[in-house]
Amino acid sequence: MPPWTALDLRRRDDGVAVLTMNRPAVFNAFDETLIAELEAAFAQLGGDAGVRAIVLAGAGKHFSAGADLQWMQRAAAASQDDNLADARRFSAMLARIAEAPKPTIARVQGAALGGGVGLVCACDLAVASEAASFSVSEARMGILPAVIGPHLVNAVGLREARRLALTASRIDATEAQRVGLVQRVVPADGLDAAIDAFIADLLACGPAAQAEIKQLYARLAPGPVTPQARELTAQTIARVRTTSEAREGFAAFLGKRKPNWTSNP
């Protein structure tokens, strides 16, 4: 890994990578540097066979205040072509998180605003402290949550996404859990324990199977189960059942032992 200026990386012995946005003075608001470093970090961690899961955290009081105001001022003064290139880089970073072949968990304390909500939505799982708050705040500044929109819709559904975007309302952690923005809400001192509980479940599962789940589910949409979806799922399970990981999983189950991808086979 290259030396980061806006990120800290800690590798745990169990294969978990904890990636912390480290701009606490601006509440981990992102600019060109943080966007580029997040994209590069998730690309490298996603391709690292020694990494089983990735936790995305924010240093200090808040998870992320969204876009850095100075970055936004530069964008407002730039050309449309420059803004398009900028938006594409942000979109690519969110896609890199969402498409990471490893399970990802957002660790949310304090505020998650604007694009910070997009980061939460791009992760597979999210754990929030009871004091956390969320706002899809772009409309308050006369812009819109465009790039984070698909990730927000995927996380909470179209109607809730539209409500959050149109009103820019600040919601608390309990409501965020109700609408599906986060999966678990705990006291601030219980954040790490709650994440560890998720990680214990994640590490008990086959890493190749988890990558297949992420790839398959990204292609499935709510609604009628079409013939195309039926064929896709049939082809996928038929292929995966013949893999070495599947053979090991079946053998471990029948042999009443832990599979070889756990730390204690």
Side-chain angles (χ1 to χ4, degrees), residues 82-129:
D82 287 341
N83 270 280
L84 179 58
D86 207 43
R88 284 172 171 164
R89 285 190 290 269
F90 182 42
S91 179
M93 178 269 286
L94 289 177
R96 183 71 71 176
I97 297 174
E99 296 168 9
K102 314 299 172 69
T104 55
I105 306 174
R107 181 191 186 279
V108 186
Q109 86 287 2
L113 307 177
V117 174
L119 293 175
V120 176
C121 294
C123 290
D124 300 313
L125 305 168
V127 178
S129 75

Side-chain angles (χ1 to χ4, degrees), residues 157-223:
L158 179 58
R159 200 164 194 212
E160 283 291 353
R162 194 159 47 201
R163 189 261 299 193
L164 293 171
L166 287 171
T167 65
S169 300
R170 181 79 68 110
I171 64 172
D172 62 18
T174 300
E175 187 172 0
Q177 184 177 30
R178 180 186 66 79
V179 301
L181 192 56
V182 303
Q183 282 76 40
R184 192 161 297 170
V185 175
V186 296
D189 60 3
L191 266 175
D192 292 327
I195 288 172
D196 284 343
F198 270 137
I199 287 171
D201 287 339
L202 291 170
L203 296 183
C205 299
Q210 289 170 329
E212 291 280 357
I213 289 167
K214 294 197 63 173
Q215 186 175 51
L216 174 64
Y217 280 40
R219 300 176 64 183
L220 302 178

Side-chain angles (χ1 to χ4, degrees), residues 28-29 38-39 71 75 81 105 112 114 116 121 123 145 170 189-190 193 202-203 214 229 240 242 248 253:
N28 302 311
L38 281 168
E39 200 278 336
W71 175 53
D81 285 345
I105 306 174
C121 294
C123 290
R170 181 79 68 110
D189 60 3
L202 291 170
L203 296 183
K214 294 197 63 173
V240 171
T242 66
E248 166 62 14
F253 179 79

Side-chain angles (χ1 to χ4, degrees), residues 62-81:
H62 300 288
F63 177 72
S64 174
D68 184 281
L69 290 178
Q70 293 184 354
W71 175 53
M72 292 181 67
Q73 287 177 338
R74 290 194 295 273
S79 68
Q80 184 171 334
D81 285 345

